[in-house]
Amino acid sequence: MAANSQFAIAVHVLTVLAKGGGERVKSDYIAQSVNTNPVVIRRLLSNLQDANLVVSHVGASGGTSLAKLPKDIQLSEVYKAVACGEVFALPPKKPNENCPVGKNIAAVLCNLQKEIDKSVNEKLRQFTLRDVIERVDEA
Amino acid sequence: MAANSQFAIAVHVLTVLAKGGGERVKSDYIAQSVNTNPVVIRRLLSNLQDANLVVSHVGASGGTSLAKLPKDIQLSEVYKAVACGEVFALPPKKPNENCPVGKNIAAVLCNLQKEIDKSVNEKLRQFTLRDVIERVDEA
DNA sequence: TTCAATTGTAACTAAACTTATTACAGTATG
DNA sequence: CATACTGTAATAAGTTTAGTTACAATTGAA
């Protein structure tokens, strides 16, 4: 019944980077803000980098910064980069083909899943990192 | 990163009950259609019963039937009954209060979470069990 | 060139969660 | 009273997630 917290942590991390004002922020620093281990952060940053949302540099005075302006980072991109992308999973086992319901339900559930996931994506697309930063600043 | 399959299984189960035409369906039969253990089904039915979506009867010739017509069962009700209700989780650990971002991000994420979850609920409310049955029959 | 700082990632451990299974008490039905 | 169910506890097994240690590779600077 538990949902995944990767997305929330990713939004937190990106907000920290945005506050860094373009400077390279170290995984150690981010980890302290999120209150977790630097390796956990680096793994997350690796995903965000694959999605072209951040840029990391190795070596001394290395670190990570945003790859785009906060206004150009939609939360749907963040979600796609770090979450499984599914509000609910399809059943792990294949239904019984001999049952009239079991025979057809999988395809119906799959289509339903896509419709729901699409609506989540559209909702998340309405928010950018800038919106998040504004809310953090207002508080 | 894995989502939960309780909702999908619940929709499957309710479809089987609807196809039962008001007769009491046994957990054994449902389990065979879903391809899982009867106890797993009974636990799920217990949740659906708490939400007033089904009625179960113990004893010989016991079993479960729908508590309402398929057209009156919204998928949002099913989701609420068996899923955690959250598209993404808030971070398990409290952020660092000494960081300007960490100090305020939790509340922002919480509000964002509510907005997203609300939109999922609204989307699921657009579908009823009847819609699912129609799709199964069409296939 | 050498040293210190940092990322990237593998390997492993620990914790949490989900699913499956067994067992059996309680309750209808005939 | 015997049979056939549900409800649920207890437990085990499997899967996923988070945390930790370790270290190679890279960079920048003394």
Side-chain angles (χ1 to χ4, degrees):
Chain A
M1 306 246 277
N4 199 280
S5 62
Q6 294 280 303
F7 172 74
I9 296 175
V11 171
H12 183 159
V13 168
L14 290 168
T15 304
V16 170
L17 293 181
K19 288 285 179 184
E23 293 297 304
R24 294 176 180 176
V25 183
K26 299 178 212 343
S27 62
D28 249 12
Y29 177 85
I30 303 173
Q32 280 182 30
S33 178
V34 174
N35 193 16
T36 185
N37 194 288
V39 175
V40 173
I41 298 299
R42 292 206 288 270
R43 281 198 285 241
L44 188 65
L45 287 173
S46 175
N47 289 328
L48 295 175
Q49 194 167 206
D50 290 344
N52 293 312
L53 299 177
V54 305
V55 178
S56 293
H57 298 269
V58 300
S61 80
T64 305
S65 51
L66 293 181
K68 312 189 208 179
L69 294 175
K71 76 174 176 61
D72 294 324
I73 296 181
Q74 297 168 337
L75 296 195
S76 53
E77 295 177 85
V78 181
Y79 185 71
K80 186 181 174 193
V82 303
C84 73
E86 295 168 357
V87 172
F88 65 86
L90 298 176
K93 288 190 184 173
K94 210 175 146 187
N96 186 346
E97 294 284 334
N98 297 325
C99 163
V101 175
K103 192 177 176 182
N104 297 325
I105 195 78
V108 174
L109 288 171
C110 186
N111 284 331
L112 184 63
Q113 184 195 51
K114 282 179 191 157
E115 290 178 59
I116 305 301
D117 290 340
K118 190 177 155 203
S119 100
V120 168
N121 193 66
E122 282 166 5
K123 184 72 184 176
L124 284 169
R125 210 172 50 198
Q126 294 173 10
F127 296 95
T128 68
L129 183 57
R130 185 168 67 179
D131 299 324
V132 174
I133 294 166
E134 276 173 11
R135 291 185 183 195
V136 170
D137 288 340
E138 277 167 18
Chain B
M1 306 245 279
N4 199 280
S5 61
Q6 295 281 302
F7 172 74
I9 296 175
V11 171
H12 183 160
V13 168
L14 290 167
T15 305
V16 170
L17 294 181
K19 288 285 180 183
E23 294 297 303
R24 294 176 181 177
V25 183
K26 299 178 212 341
S27 63
D28 249 11
Y29 177 84
I30 303 173
Q32 280 181 31
S33 178
V34 174
N35 194 17
T36 186
N37 194 288
V39 175
V40 172
I41 298 299
R42 293 206 288 270
R43 282 198 286 243
L44 187 64
L45 287 172
S46 174
N47 289 328
L48 295 175
Q49 194 167 206
D50 290 344
N52 294 312
L53 299 177
V54 305
V55 178
S56 293
H57 299 268
V58 300
S61 81
T64 306
S65 50
L66 292 182
K68 313 189 208 179
L69 294 175
K71 76 174 176 62
D72 293 324
I73 296 182
Q74 297 168 337
L75 295 196
S76 53
E77 295 176 85
V78 181
Y79 186 71
K80 187 181 173 192
V82 303
C84 74
E86 294 168 357
V87 172
F88 65 87
L90 298 177
K93 289 190 183 171
K94 209 175 148 189
N96 185 346
E97 294 284 335
N98 298 326
C99 164
V101 175
K103 191 178 177 184
N104 297 326
I105 195 79
V108 174
L109 288 171
C110 186
N111 284 331
L112 185 63
Q113 184 195 50
K114 282 179 191 155
E115 290 178 60
I116 305 300
D117 290 341
K118 189 178 158 205
S119 101
V120 168
N121 193 65
E122 282 166 6
K123 185 71 184 176
L124 284 169
R125 209 171 52 198
Q126 294 173 10
F127 296 95
T128 68
L129 183 58
R130 184 167 68 177
D131 299 324
V132 173
I133 294 166
E134 276 173 12
R135 292 185 183 195
V136 169
D137 289 340
E138 277 168 17

